[in-house]
Every structure is written in C-alpha cells, then in structure tokens.
Amino acid sequence: MRIRSTVVRIAVPAVALGLVLSGCAGSDDSGSGTSAIGITNDINPHDVSELRDGGNLRLPFSGYPKNWNSLQIDGGDTDVTNIERPMMPQAFRINAAGEPSLDTDYFTSVELTSTEPQQVTYTINPKAVWSDGTPITWEDIAAQANALSGRDKTFLIQANQGFDRVAKVERGVDDRQAVLTFSKHFADWRGQFAGNSFLFPKSVTATPESFNKSLVDNITLTAGPFLVQSTDRAQGRIVLGRNPLWWGEKPKLDTITWSLLDSAAYLPALRNNELDWAGIASRDELKSVEGAPDIDIRRAPANQWSHLTFNGAPGSLLSDPKVRVAISKAIDRQGIATAIDNGLVADPKPLNNHIYLEGQKGYQDNSLGYDPDAAARELDEAGWKLNGDVREKDGRKLEIRDVMYNQDVWVQIAQIMQQNLARIGVKLTIDTKPGTGYFTDFIQPGDFDVAQWSWVGDAFPLTNMFQIWGYDPKDLQGNYGRIGSPELNDLIEKTVSELDPNKAIEMANQVDRKIFEEGHSIPLLQSPGIVAVRANLANYGARGLATYDWTKVGFLK
C-alpha cells in the first residue's frame, strides 16, 4: 500500500549546487549506510526484561490530523498513520525483510481458504475488544469492506485496498469470524488490514457521514495497547496512554507524546532533551549529533520515497505524454542522488522502480534513463520549439510550476531539476507551500504542473497499484496527475489478479515500465532512514519495512 507523506526527513544536499551539478561529491566521506532495504533494521533490540516499566516516549509530527480516519482521503498521510499505529488493529506484523506473520493479538487465523472463488477467512481473537469494551466482530470487517469497495462514491476513500474486488463478507462460525468472497482474484489479500492499513470499528465505516466526518476532530474507538489520552490542538500535542482494556502483553511505556514541530526543529529538540527521536536530514546534521552524549545514530533504509508527479489532465500544459517523457529524460536523477545522499550512504542511487523499493523482492531498474539530447529532440518533434531560452508552442511557453512542501530538501532537489531542464529550454518555477492543507488545497485539485511529495511503501506493494497509477476520471483516488490509459489499467488489473507471487512480480515490473513510458511520474530517492534517538531507547529507531511491537518499545533500566 502507498500512503502519502508531505514531510520526509531525507538527506539535504551538503554541498553547493555548483559542485553537485558538476558531479563532484564535495567530500571524501562516502557514508556508511546503504540505499537498499535489507533484511535487518536498527532498533536497539532488547528483551522486555531489560526495560524499565513506565516512561514517556517523545516523538514529533509535522501536521495536525485533518481527519483521524486514515482510510478517508483527508486522513491518508504518514503522520496520521504513525500516530495511530500503537492504537489500531492489524492482521499481520512485518519483519525487516518485509515478510508478514500473523498478529495473534487480533486474529487467531487469516487464511486463503479457497481460490475459485477466492475466499479469505479471518478468525478474530476472542479477547479482542474496542476501547469501550465492545467486541471486534465480523461486522467491523464487513462495514470497512463495503466502505472501501467504491460502490458508493459518497465514501470519500483514500484507496480501495482491494475491497473493490470483494463481492461479499459473511459471518463465519460465529461473530468472531468473517469470510470474504472475492469477485476477482486479489494478489495482495494479506495486505487489506496490514502494512499501512488498519481495521476501524463499524461506527466509523458504516455510513458515508460517519466515514467522512466522525473522526475529523478526534479518534474515538481504538483497539491497541495505547489509546488517545489527550489532545491539544492549540499546543500541537497528542498524548497516548495505556489502554486499560488491552488484552495482550502489557506495554512498557506509560505514554507516547507527539509534539507538532517544524521539521527543522526536530534535532535541536532532541539535543535539548525535548524529544527522543529525530530524523537526520544532512551530513552536517549527522556530524552535529555524532558522539553527542546520550544520543545514538541508527540506520536502515526507510520505506519512504520521493518522486515527481506530472499533471497530465486534459488541457493542461503537460497533457501530451511525449512532452512528459521528454522532460523526465532530461532530469539527472543520479546527479540528484549523488547530491542528496552524498556522505550518508556508501553508493548513492536513485530509485528506479515505482512498485518496489530497492532491496525488496521484485525490484529491478525499469527507468528510461538520463538523455538530455534525446529529450531536446523529442520536444522539437512534439512542436515545442526553442525561442530564446524557453520553448514555445501555439503561443504558450513551456514554463512549468513545481509545487512542493516548503522544506530545504524539496527546494534543493527542485533547483537541480531547474538547472537540468534549463539546458533543454524548459523553465521550472519553484512554488513552495505550507504543510497544512498541502494535499487538500493544491495536490488533490490539481493545482500544479509538476509536484513533489513522498509515498510510503510497505510489504504489500500491489495492494493499491490502481490507487496511484490506474486512471478513472470519475474516481481519481491517488492519481492526482490524472494520467493513465486503458492499456495500463488492463495491465494493472492482470497483475493484481495474479495469485502466483512470482508471476505477479514479473507483471508488476511490466506495469512499472509502462508508468515510465506514459510519463506519469518519476521516482527520485528512497530515504536512507538515518535517525538520531535517545541512547537508552530500545526496540525503536530505524525500522526499515518492519512494524514496531509497541508493547516492547521502552527505555533500558
């Protein structure tokens, strides 16, 4: 599944742009990290017997939730998801290699019980209850499946998560069992309540009104080791406390406090002992905390990746796929990677796949490559002729507006692209926006020519392929660039329907190549995931693809 992220603490270039663009590293420090997801992470693992009871974990977030329903279009960003992870049910835990295992706190069994038709049977842990004491039942699963099915467009969903392929949900042997029958095969059936997706109570998902509006101000029913203890929008603070009705292992922490901060304030707050975690955003920031007392540096490539999305809506400046492809060929993504990750990873590389993260099973390079000379020729062939420094066609100049969150890293990436594109007669204007309202006010309405943000991947990369790269003008979901084709839609459909994992990987890479060829978007960088944390914090840090066990996060004795 993909969720969006407006603020990602990936590395900020630590050298002057002049050096960056000439290909110079600007330092002998090649970094000790890697750019690929691996089979391990860096969370300072310890047995719970070594942790003290109690304590407050202090974490930052960058934007107050516009909607606590992370299934709803306004709630589908990484801040909401991260805050809710200790509170909401999921079917599977994920290890550092991206491999799922059943989360028995919530389900005693989740099995593919038939292939013709495809059926998946969820058996709910009989101890599992919502935070008001009501049991989690098959009706919660059924309500969510219906809400996300897409059959009722008044449910303003972020993505359907494969529930458009679920024909019905029925009660099993009792109220604690749900049987999902699919109308079409769904390859990533394990990811429907896992990865970046949670199970919500039927009180939230039963009607469009409750789905869209009931969690705008706060979250109500949860079912995890923690629940919301207090919120203070004026102070920008959210405090989670232990759930007194939690039936699983007792969590070690008393509270988790989320503080609303500008991303530039994360590291200073950590050094001032006001936070316990901060992302590393540059080589200079890394050096500023290396060797600092009571602070550890932890490294594991993150599952966030930055990209550039084109606006190809009918009538837009970039509606012609030939123009979008030409522009993509003129962007030196390797140069961007060298500049951004220099000194942080040993061998900086761009991300060359939309579907899979580097190091994840299935990853291969399907990109079109960097070829500014070919880009210039293709723009000529498309009728965009050079007139001075900027190309023109039919009285329109090829001046494109790049919309992004106002953060140094995004601006500096845009400055590199600005110089790349100037070489072929394309003018790129940098247009920064605040984090609050970034998606609802600019990206969702299509108020951009190109735009930068990050997607957050997980262990179920096929779940929402159609969400971003499929195109239905009546149901855009996450395809904010409004780009697609019947051919791509058909290829996505065949991939998502393939129950053979190896065949699905092969077909997903065909989808990826087609995405490049249509000029939908171009991946830029996978975050190196370097973080600074309080040294005595255990079972938390740089998690890679893994999910945290929130009952085991805590401080050493």
Side-chain angles (χ1 to χ4, degrees), residues 456-498:
V456 180
D458 67 8
F460 307 101
L462 308 186
T463 300
N464 290 119
M465 289 175 68
F466 201 90
Q467 168 202 357
I468 307 172
W469 303 294
Y471 181 58
D472 178 353
K474 297 179 181 178
D475 185 18
L476 293 173
Q477 296 192 49
N479 189 343
Y480 303 123
R482 296 158 172 80
I483 295 169
S485 67
E487 294 79 13
L488 181 55
N489 284 357
D490 182 60
L491 191 54
I492 291 172
E493 170 62 29
K494 290 177 180 176
T495 303
V496 174
S497 299
E498 181 53 65

Side-chain angles (χ1 to χ4, degrees), residues 169-221:
V169 180
E170 297 174 293
R171 183 180 184 269
V173 296
D174 57 26
D175 283 349
R176 295 287 195 160
Q177 189 174 79
V179 180
L180 279 64
T181 301
F182 291 74
S183 57
K184 295 182 288 187
H185 284 173
F186 183 52
D188 256 351
W189 55 270
R190 292 180 183 84
Q192 291 187 297
F193 299 102
N196 291 319
S197 179
F198 311 127
L199 173 64
F200 279 78
K202 63 183 179 181
S203 59
V204 172
T205 57
T207 70
E209 179 74 14
S210 61
F211 185 88
N212 296 327
K213 298 180 180 180
S214 67
L215 302 189
V216 168
D217 295 324
N218 204 344
I219 194 166
T220 50
L221 297 185

Side-chain angles (χ1 to χ4, degrees), residues 354-415:
H354 295 83
I355 313 297
Y356 298 101
L357 295 164
E358 186 178 358
Q360 191 172 15
K361 184 178 180 181
Y363 179 86
Q364 67 183 44
D365 183 351
N366 297 312
S367 63
L368 301 180
Y370 172 56
D371 193 341
D373 293 334
R377 289 195 303 271
E378 291 168 16
L379 288 176
D380 283 335
E381 292 167 3
W384 288 94
K385 303 298 183 180
L386 202 58
N387 183 4
D389 293 331
V390 181
R391 293 177 180 271
E392 291 185 359
K393 180 181 179 181
D394 300 330
R396 299 179 79 182
K397 290 184 177 295
L398 196 49
E399 297 180 353
I400 59 177
R401 187 167 56 94
D402 185 0
V403 174
M404 73 209 73
Y405 171 70
N406 188 15
Q407 186 189 35
D408 286 348
V409 63
W410 295 119
V411 173
Q412 291 169 328
I413 288 174
Q415 288 171 336

Side-chain angles (χ1 to χ4, degrees), residues 265-277:
Y266 289 5
L267 269 180
L270 176 71
R271 289 193 296 264
N272 291 336
N273 198 24
E274 298 165 357
L275 289 178
D276 298 308
W277 176 101

Side-chain angles (χ1 to χ4, degrees), residues 274-286:
E274 298 165 357
L275 289 178
D276 298 308
W277 176 101
I280 299 294
S282 71
R283 189 174 62 230
D284 287 341
E285 286 193 351
L286 179 59

Side-chain angles (χ1 to χ4, degrees), residues 310-311 315-319 323 327 379 384-393 395-403 418 421-422 424-431 448-450:
F310 293 94
N311 186 343
S316 67
L317 189 63
L318 302 179
S319 60
V323 175
I327 289 173
L379 288 176
W384 288 94
K385 303 298 183 180
L386 202 58
N387 183 4
D389 293 331
V390 181
R391 293 177 180 271
E392 291 185 359
K393 180 181 179 181
R396 299 179 79 182
K397 290 184 177 295
L398 196 49
E399 297 180 353
I400 59 177
R401 187 167 56 94
D402 185 0
V403 174
Q418 193 176 52
L421 296 178
I424 62 165
V426 178
K427 182 178 180 180
L428 184 141
T429 301
I430 297 172
D431 188 0
F448 61 90
D449 294 317
V450 295

